[in-house]
Amino acid sequence: MWYLESYDNQTDLIADSYPLTAITGDEIRELIDVDETELPLEMGPYPVPLADVPKFAKYIEGDFRISSDNEYFIGLFTD
């Protein structure tokens, strides 16, 4: 499953992990600029610019909070 994860800049720990329901690799490519010249998308995680984070809200069920104190990454992780 694809996840959007936020890391606290002060602690470098995961602050939140959001499962992205029903998103595809093609949709991710459309939402953010992914450089796949060296590794395929599935080999992420890839950084998500703060300005692009809200684009993922429609794929997240439940509470979703965006913090400018965090860095965001998207990756394909097993459950």
Side-chain angles (χ1 to χ4, degrees), residues 8 14-15 29-30 33 41 44 51 56 75:
D8 185 296
I14 294 176
R29 287 179 189 93
E30 290 176 16
D33 183 28
L41 178 66
F56 292 93

Side-chain angles (χ1 to χ4, degrees), residues 41-69:
L41 178 66
E42 293 77 16
M43 296 299 293
Y46 287 94
V48 178
L50 190 59
D52 290 338
V53 172
K55 297 177 183 179
F56 292 93
K58 71 179 185 177
Y59 300 101
I60 296 171
E61 296 177 2
D63 292 337
F64 177 49
R65 289 171 266 121
I66 300 172
S67 172
S68 60
D69 294 330

Side-chain angles (χ1 to χ4, degrees), residues 12-54:
D12 287 330
L13 298 174
I14 294 176
D16 289 295
S17 183
Y18 301 101
L20 299 171
T21 312
I23 197 168
T24 66
D26 288 336
E27 289 169 312
I28 292 169
R29 287 179 189 93
E30 290 176 16
L31 294 173
I32 62 171
D33 183 28
V34 176
D35 180 7
E36 293 182 87
T37 56
E38 294 185 26
L39 296 172
L41 178 66
E42 293 77 16
M43 296 299 293
Y46 287 94
V48 178
L50 190 59
D52 290 338
V53 172

